[in-house]
Each structure stands twice: as structure tokens, then as C-alpha cells.
Amino acid sequence: MSAESTSTVAKVLKPTILILIAVVAIASRLFSIIRFESVIHEFDPWFNYRTTQHLVKNGFYDFWNWFDEKSWYPLGRVVGGTVYPGIMVTSALIHNVLHFFNFPVDIRNVCVFLAPMFSGLTAFSAYLLTKELKDSSAGLLAAAFLGVAPGYISRSVAGSYDNEGIAIFLLVFTFYLWIKAVKTGSAFFGLLTALFYFYMVSAWGGYVFITNLLPLHAFTLLLMGRYSNRLYVSYSTFYAVGTLLSMQIPFVGFQPTRTSEHMAALGVFGLLQLYAFAELVRGYVTPKQFKSLLKGGISVVAILAVVALTLLSLSGVIAPFTGRFYSLYDTGYAKIHIPIIASVSEHQPTAWTAFFFDLQMLIFLFPAGVYLCFKELKDEHVFIILYSVFASYFAGVMVRLMLTLTPVVCVSAAIAYSTLLDTYLEKSEHVLASNLGGALPRVPAADTPGPSSASDVKAAGNVSKKTAAKGGAKAASKAGDNETKAHSKTSAASGEKKRFPIFNWDSRAMVIMQLTWFLFMFAWHCTYVTSGSYSSPSIVLATRNHDGSQLIIDDFREAYYWLRKNTDDDAKVMSWWDYGYQMAGMANITTLVDNNTWNNTHIATVGKAMSTSEEVSYQVLRQHDVDYVLILFGGVIGYSGDDINKFLWMIRIAEGVYPNDVKESTFFTSRGEYKVDHDATPTMKNSLMYKMSYYRFAELSGGNAVDHVRNARMPSEGPTLSVLEEAYTSTNWLVRIYKVKDLDNLGRDLKDATAFDKGKARRVSALKRK
């Protein structure tokens, strides 16, 4: 096939392969839809869905100024000023465009399928980024890897309507535009980088990663002596425009100029201006004068910068680093100082097995790709090295940040894998040897007969033709012929052969088959993990009956539907903050706390109500106008994510604000054990959470009940309730709802009134038996 025909085929194949990769990326995220239904997953996505509904129904202006009275009662929440609106605006825009062209797609389905659709764009972005680092072949591999890698799929399955669903696309594409800007020195690409950075700022709080990584790249290039006008133009354009645009998001506001997390970007911007000014001055003075000016200038600027930064920090103009920032550098910081952050499972340090679970073979190719970047070490390769180092560290200290590591792992692995394929699929032995950075070894003829000089000359002719075709110069072709012929004669004279055994076709085939087998195993692993671990919506649980048939546990929606249909419009429900977004989205009911977690004191108040006695809890409930209390209890079906397992975090958070009312040590036995059975401490047994969880639990097994989560045999006589009454318990006892009693009409204490009513009921029952 001629070179022109090959080029034409490649032009057709590459877009086709990219489209197929995008289709596979989308299809691999639809398991949850196929097995269950088109439904929003998890917790945070329910708030995004609810706000998107409000945006579509009432318009952007009303959304931007929306005060939500149904959340954080009695405080409320200014939604427009406390959200990253990118994902909501994107969904609303797609919904309106579809309706403009008469496609009556419901906003729910737009939200459900948004993340899978953007995964195809993310794969395309990975292709563009890797193409800038190596070539289009590596780009196709990177697109395929990122399209199906579980580390990315975990936050982008159908129904996972969270900010990361579009943010990873924006992250990768912004990095591509930055590399393009640095390579070309184009203000246009610098402007595009700023625009997509603005989109990223509007979509996810993780934009700070870009805010610090790009200036770190620019600063590193300065330290390496690689300053250029290209770097100056690209970074100055990105920072100036990007910062101004990011400040248009109300939730961000003036943070880019007033918080410590953004100071590195500002500092590098200033440093580049000074460096450019120094280069300008260099052209107008003598080297000796320039040296003196440089020393004095550096001293003055350094002193002024330190003094200004110190004064601004002490005066409060520049805010210090937040607790979330410190928790990235000290994994034990949050547990001591901010337990509400440590209580979130995705904020825990990453187990080493999670890296293989989410990345499989890519985690082994990843270092090889970084090594190849070190060998090239162009400006764009320096960026990938920095990205790799910092993303690896952050992914190690927080499970959630595996998401930011996955793209660079896929890109680096694609570079390594592509290099292997280039090496072992190349037909020319001369190119093979040069790829490995060495000359062709010689093996004595006594071991294996070498090829004839005629065949050597023929091979040399082939090499020279290839060289001529690439360079288009007859002189180069002739030089190649002469060099190869000389080498052939030398080999023949010495009785040695030229072919190195690893370059035999059987050896090459063995390597290629192994690499292909790795790809098959990677695809199988990704499908298995995606299907089994990342495609189950948290609001619908699936398990197996004894006969192997599937059992669907739909207690969440069952309980929320009961709340929606059986409570007043102004009813207030107290629960732990995990379920706030879901209740507001599905039950349309007022909640005290939710997943925004912006007010630690309010959450601690709920924790106090859960962890103290009924008498103390009742005062908190009455003060906050609570009508119902909702808890999760998994002791019947073995659901380990229930509130008893989360109870210690409620206690710790409450103790941080109310140390006189709640003490964690009183919930542990003398042996330091956390018990819920006969050995449970009096404080545990008297807490409202314990009583709500195990109320009437003993009746299920005739006084011989077993908590299947904690593997504990419970007392035959369970706890009683005085200030609450059971309102609803779901089919599988997973969700339990209690109604708060009103004050007694006769002014009695509720405990006494309840005891009196129980005694009266017993007397009536005894009279009926007589």
C-alpha cells in the first residue's frame, strides 16, 4: 500500500476509532439503567437534580436569587451564592436545546445521562492531550483507557449526577489547551485555557488543582532556565482572563485574590512580569550593570513581597489555609480538628488495593510512561511529571482524589504501551535497535548461521529506500546504503550475524500477544468492576434470596414517598446530614441539616439530640420545631451503612460543640469496646439513637433478636420511648420514622404520661381477658 493510501486510511480510521471509544465509554456506564431504572443515585446528586428542576422551571434569574427555606431549618440557604452552578446550567441548556428542536426529553433523563455523555468527550480530550505528548496512536490508547477505567467510571455512571461528571472532562481539556498554549505561545490558546478554566470553576471546587498546577509548571520551567515568550504569553493570558472570569461565580467571589490557596498563581504571575522586565532591561545595559541591577532588584522585591504577604495575612486580607487544605497534608488532622470531614468515607486515606482495583494494569505502566517523559523532558513532559507526582500524593491521602489521578495514569500508561507497540511492530531491524538506544549485537556464526551478504545488501537497500522516502534526499539514501553495506561486509568477514534474537518474528509475536492479553484482561476487569461495584444506585439495593433469585430492597423511596404523602407541607424532619439532600429531593420536605455541611454547630446540635437521653433530646426537638425524626437501621437485613455504625461520628461532632453534654468515652465499655448488646453502657442504652434503632426489635424473633450488622444478640426486652412514637417503618426495617409527641395536655412529664397510658392499656387488656 502506498504512503498516500496509508495516510487516507489513517484519516478515516482515527475518527472512527474515536467514535467507537466514545460509544464504549458511554455504554459501559449504563449498567445501572439496564438493571434498575433511570434514577438519580447517591446523596449529593439529589440536590443538583432538585436545583436543576428549579432552574428549568423558573429560569436563571430566579435560580440565581433562590433562597431555599426547606433546607437548614430555621436558617435556610441562599442557593445561588453557595453552589457551583456549572452542572445545573449545562443540563438546563441541553434540555432547552432539545426542546427547541422538538425533542420532549424530561429533565430527569438529561441529568441521568449527562455524565456518560461527557465521558465520551473526556476520552476525546485524553486523545488530544496525549497526541501533544507523543503521537496519535498513543492518544487513541489514552482515550480507550480513560473511557473504561474504573477510577473515572466510579463518578460518572448513569444517574451519578454529581459535579465530577463534567469536571473531569473540563480538567483534561483545560490541560490540553494549556499544553497547546505553551507549545505555540498563542494568546488564542491561552484565552481558550482561561475560558475552560472558568467553566471548570463554575462546575467543581476541585478547580483549585488547576489553579496551582499550571503556575507550578510555569515556575518549574523558570527554574529549569526555560523561560520564553511562549510561556509568558500563555500564562499571562490564562491568569489575567481566567481570574477575572472565575470571580464572576458568586460562590468564588474574591477568593482568587484573598485566599492562600490562590496565592501561588498570583505569585508566579508577578514573577513572570519581573522576569520579562529583566529580559527587557538586559538588552539596554552592559552585563556588569545588569548583574548589579539584578541583585538589587531581587533583594528589594523579595523583601517587599515577604513584608506585604505577612501584613496582609495578619490583617486578615488574605485568609489562611482552610482545614480541608491541611487535611490533605496531615491525614490525622481532620479526625482531631474537623471530625465532620473525617466522617465522610470518601475523605479517608486510600488503601493500596484501591489503586489496582480502579486502575488495574495501568498502575504498572504508569511509572514507565513517566520515565519516558523524563527521557524526552520537553516542556509538556515536565507538566505530566508534575501532574503525576502531585496527583499520586493526593490520591494516596484521600480516596475521592483517585479521580484526579486516573487521567494522568491513563495518559502515561498509553505513552508506555504505545512505545512498546512501536518497538515490536516495527519491521526494520535498524529502527528497532535505535529505538532501544543501542547497536545491533553480533552473535558468532558457529551458533547460528548468519544471512548471506546478498540478503544483507537487499535489507540495506530497503532501509535506504525508507530513509529516502522520509527525508526525500538522495544523498541520505546513498549514505545509508554505503553504511549498511559496510556493516554487512564486516559481519560476513567476521563470521557473525546481524539479527538479534528478540527481533525475530516469533519473539515479537510472543510480546505482542502478551500485550494483547493484558488489554483483554484490562477490559474484563473494567467491565467486572463497573458492573458489580459502581453501578448500584444507593437508593435501591439488590441482594439474593436463598434460591438465588434477585431481591430488590426499595425501602428508601418507600419511606420518602410516605413522608411526601402523609405529612403536612410545613413538616420538619430531623435526620443525620447524609440523608438531607435525598429527603428534600424525593419527599419535598423541610430538613434541619443536609450534605452541604456548611454549619458545623447545627450538625452538632443534631448529633447532641441523637446521643443524649430522651429528656435532653426532647428540648432540642422542640426548640427546632421538629415534627419527625428519621433514622436508618440495618440490623434486620445486614445493611452496614446504618446510623448505629455512624453513631460514633455523631458523638464526636457533638462533643466538639457540646463537651459538657456529650462525652465519647461514656459510650465505650470498661474494656474500650463499642457494644450494643447486653454489655452496652448505660449512656448508650439511654441515647435516643439507640432507642429508636432497637425499639420493638426484640419482637421480631420472640425476644431472641440478632443484629446482623454487628453480630450481636440483643436483650429480650428492648428499649421504650416516651417522647417519640413510631410513625412508619419500611418493609425491611431499613428506614424508621418517628413522630415527636406534643406536650401533654395535663402538663405531665411525657415519660410519666407514657407510663400511665401503658398501665391503663394493661388494665383494659386484663379486663377483656376476664
Side-chain angles (χ1 to χ4, degrees):
M1 186 180 292
S2 65
E4 184 177 352
S5 300
T6 303
S7 177
T8 303
V9 172
K11 289 180 180 178
V12 175
L13 276 179
K14 286 176 183 177
T16 304
I17 294 172
L18 274 175
I19 293 173
L20 291 176
I21 289 172
V23 170
V24 171
I26 295 170
S28 64
R29 288 161 169 80
L30 303 182
F31 284 108
S32 60
I33 301 299
I34 297 170
R35 291 179 176 174
F36 298 95
E37 58 183 287
S38 179
V39 64
I40 303 296
H41 296 189
E42 301 296 337
F43 301 104
D44 289 3
W46 276 98
F47 171 76
N48 296 334
Y49 174 53
R50 179 167 168 255
T51 52
T52 305
Q53 285 181 309
H54 187 91
L55 172 59
V56 170
K57 182 180 179 180
N58 301 291
F60 184 78
Y61 182 81
D62 189 75
F63 163 77
W64 211 239
N65 296 280
W66 178 26
F67 181 78
D68 184 13
E69 298 177 348
K70 287 186 172 292
S71 63
W72 291 93
Y73 181 85
L75 305 174
R77 177 181 179 183
V78 180
V79 175
T82 57
V83 296
Y84 294 103
I87 192 169
M88 299 91 169
V89 174
T90 301
S91 299
L93 184 62
I94 293 173
H95 173 268
N96 293 338
V97 169
L98 290 174
H99 277 249
F100 177 79
F101 289 104
N102 295 316
F103 290 98
V105 180
D106 184 70
I107 185 62
R108 175 175 58 83
N109 287 317
V110 173
C111 297
V112 167
F113 290 98
L114 184 71
M117 296 303 294
F118 266 81
S119 68
L121 296 176
T122 307
F124 179 66
S125 302
Y127 165 77
L128 294 176
L129 176 60
T130 313
K131 184 180 177 182
E132 293 298 321
L133 297 166
K134 188 178 182 293
D135 53 31
S136 58
S137 300
L140 291 174
L141 282 170
F145 290 159
L146 189 55
V148 297
Y152 174 39
I153 287 182
S154 62
R155 304 304 289 260
S156 59
V157 296
S160 181
Y161 186 55
D162 212 346
N163 294 332
E164 294 90 335
I166 67 172
I168 297 305
F169 157 68
L170 297 173
L171 181 82
V172 178
F173 197 69
T174 302
F175 287 158
Y176 157 70
L177 292 172
W178 167 251
I179 293 298
K180 196 74 174 176
V182 171
K183 290 178 69 174
T184 61
S186 168
F188 174 72
F189 278 105
L191 179 62
L192 287 179
T193 305
L195 291 175
F196 275 87
Y197 170 72
F198 164 65
Y199 192 4
M200 176 70 174
V201 173
S202 72
W204 190 36
Y207 77 88
V208 178
F209 186 64
I210 297 178
T211 306
N212 287 277
L213 187 60
L214 298 195
L216 178 63
H217 181 219
F219 182 67
T220 303
L221 293 179
L222 282 179
L223 293 180
M224 295 174 69
R226 295 190 180 187
Y227 170 81
S228 64
N229 290 332
R230 294 181 289 105
L231 178 62
Y232 177 81
V233 170
S234 56
Y235 186 81
S236 296
T237 306
F238 152 73
Y239 181 78
V241 179
T243 300
L244 290 174
L245 288 175
S246 67
M247 293 168 69
Q248 308 311 307
I249 305 299
F251 193 33
V252 176
F254 286 94
Q255 289 185 35
T257 60
R258 301 193 62 178
T259 57
S260 299
E261 287 87 349
H262 296 79
M263 287 300 104
L266 177 60
V268 171
F269 177 72
L271 186 62
L272 275 175
Q273 309 313 309
L274 293 174
Y275 201 103
F277 180 73
E279 289 296 315
L280 179 65
V281 172
R282 186 198 293 269
Y284 293 94
V285 297
T286 63
K288 186 176 181 180
Q289 291 174 325
F290 178 76
K291 189 175 182 181
S292 301
L293 288 173
L294 184 63
K295 288 182 179 179
I298 291 176
S299 302
V300 171
V301 170
I303 293 172
L304 290 176
V306 171
V307 171
L309 187 62
T310 303
L311 291 176
L312 291 173
S313 299
L314 293 175
S315 62
V317 175
I318 297 178
F321 290 109
T322 63
R324 291 180 183 270
F325 178 86
Y326 287 122
S327 64
L328 291 176
Y329 292 94
D330 181 3
T331 55
Y333 178 88
K335 186 175 181 180
I336 299 171
H337 301 284
I338 319 174
I340 194 170
I341 293 178
S343 67
V344 182
S345 59
E346 63 184 18
H347 291 168
Q348 303 303 314
T350 309
W352 69 267
T353 51
F355 287 95
F356 182 80
F357 188 76
D358 282 344
L359 300 169
Q360 215 253 355
M361 73 164 187
L362 303 183
I363 201 62
F364 305 113
L365 292 171
F366 173 44
V370 175
Y371 167 75
L372 291 173
C373 288
F374 265 109
K375 290 190 68 176
E376 292 285 336
L377 211 59
K378 296 178 182 177
D379 290 352
E380 57 269 29
H381 297 116
V382 173
F383 175 79
I384 291 298
I385 293 168
L386 293 172
Y387 183 7
S388 302
V389 171
F390 284 93
S392 298
Y393 172 77
F394 291 133
V397 299
M398 189 176 289
V399 175
R400 185 182 186 184
L401 295 182
M402 180 71 74
L403 196 62
T404 59
L405 174 66
T406 301
V408 72
V409 169
C410 293
V411 169
S412 300
I415 292 173
Y417 202 95
S418 175
T419 303
L420 283 170
L421 291 178
D422 289 345
T423 302
Y424 287 98
L425 287 177
E426 176 60 59
K427 293 182 180 179
S428 170
E429 297 170 24
H430 177 73
V431 174
L432 280 168
S434 62
N435 280 349
L436 292 181
L440 290 166
R442 300 183 176 89
V443 181
D447 296 334
T448 307
S452 64
S453 60
S455 63
D456 285 347
V457 172
K458 185 177 180 180
N462 291 336
V463 172
S464 66
K465 288 178 182 179
K466 188 169 183 179
T467 306
K470 289 182 178 180
K474 293 182 180 180
S477 174
K478 185 175 180 181
D481 275 334
N482 293 337
E483 182 182 352
T484 310
K485 287 177 182 178
H487 178 71
S488 301
K489 291 178 181 179
T490 305
S491 300
S494 60
E496 297 173 352
K497 75 168 193 174
K498 183 179 69 174
R499 184 179 293 276
F500 187 51
I502 200 171
F503 298 142
N504 287 333
W505 281 110
D506 55 348
S507 300
R508 295 191 204 177
M510 184 178 298
V511 174
I512 298 302
M513 285 191 295
Q514 288 178 346
L515 293 176
T516 306
W517 173 249
F518 288 152
L519 286 181
F520 278 113
M521 291 301 297
F522 175 71
W524 179 86
H525 175 84
C526 293
T527 305
Y528 172 77
V529 171
T530 302
S531 172
S533 299
Y534 293 143
S535 296
S536 299
S538 61
I539 62 169
V540 181
L541 308 177
T543 185
R544 294 287 176 182
N545 290 314
H546 295 296
D547 59 357
S549 60
Q550 189 179 51
L551 173 65
I552 298 295
I553 300 174
D554 206 2
D555 286 36
F556 288 103
R557 292 192 294 182
E558 176 189 329
Y560 296 147
Y561 184 77
W562 184 91
L563 281 173
R564 191 183 190 99
K565 294 297 184 181
N566 296 276
T567 59
D568 297 332
D569 292 338
D570 61 347
K572 289 85 178 175
V573 180
M574 186 184 81
S575 70
W576 192 233
W577 62 264
D578 289 16
Y579 325 119
Y581 281 165
Q582 281 188 353
M583 277 196 292
M586 280 188 268
N588 192 31
I589 202 164
T590 303
T591 59
L592 266 67
V593 293
D594 59 33
N595 310 61
N596 190 30
T597 66
W598 67 277
N599 191 319
N600 186 66
T601 303
H602 212 48
I603 293 176
T605 302
V606 174
K608 173 185 174 181
M610 297 292 192
S611 54
T612 52
S613 63
E614 285 190 84
E615 293 76 17
V616 178
S617 299
Y618 189 67
Q619 296 176 12
V620 176
L621 299 176
R622 294 289 298 178
Q623 288 170 357
H624 292 80
D625 301 328
V626 176
D627 298 300
Y628 295 91
V629 182
L630 180 145
I631 65 163
L632 262 59
F633 176 64
V636 176
I637 61 172
Y639 179 73
S640 60
D642 66 353
D643 283 337
I644 288 291
N645 272 2
K646 299 174 184 176
F647 192 32
L648 277 178
W649 288 112
M650 303 183 197
I651 295 166
R652 288 167 183 163
I653 294 170
E655 185 179 16
V657 179
Y658 304 103
N660 296 327
D661 299 315
V662 182
K663 296 186 182 299
E664 181 182 355
S665 58
T666 59
F667 289 86
F668 289 91
T669 66
S670 58
R671 296 187 298 274
E673 297 174 316
Y674 179 70
K675 290 284 190 176
V676 296
D677 52 14
H678 299 80
D679 297 328
T681 64
T683 307
M684 171 66 84
K685 291 181 178 180
N686 289 326
S687 65
L688 188 65
M689 174 60 71
Y690 183 91
K691 290 187 174 184
M692 288 190 295
S693 297
Y694 294 105
Y695 179 70
R696 293 198 310 109
F697 182 58
E699 299 174 11
L700 292 178
S701 303
N704 197 28
V706 175
D707 185 332
H708 294 289
V709 173
R710 287 149 286 272
N711 196 25
R713 188 170 299 279
M714 306 305 296
S716 57
E717 186 175 348
T720 59
L721 286 168
S722 301
V723 301
L724 302 175
E725 58 183 355
E726 185 178 9
Y728 183 79
T729 296
S730 60
T731 303
N732 297 286
W733 277 55
L734 184 55
V735 182
R736 309 198 70 183
I737 302 171
Y738 292 88
K739 182 175 175 54
V740 180
K741 291 182 180 180
D742 292 328
L743 293 172
D744 184 65
N745 292 331
L746 301 177
R748 297 171 298 177
D749 182 85
L750 286 177
K751 186 174 182 180
D752 296 334
T754 302
F756 177 81
D757 291 340
K758 286 184 178 180
K760 185 178 179 180
R762 291 194 191 98
R763 289 195 298 271
V764 172
S765 177
L767 289 173
K768 285 183 178 180
R769 285 198 299 269
K770 289 180 179 180

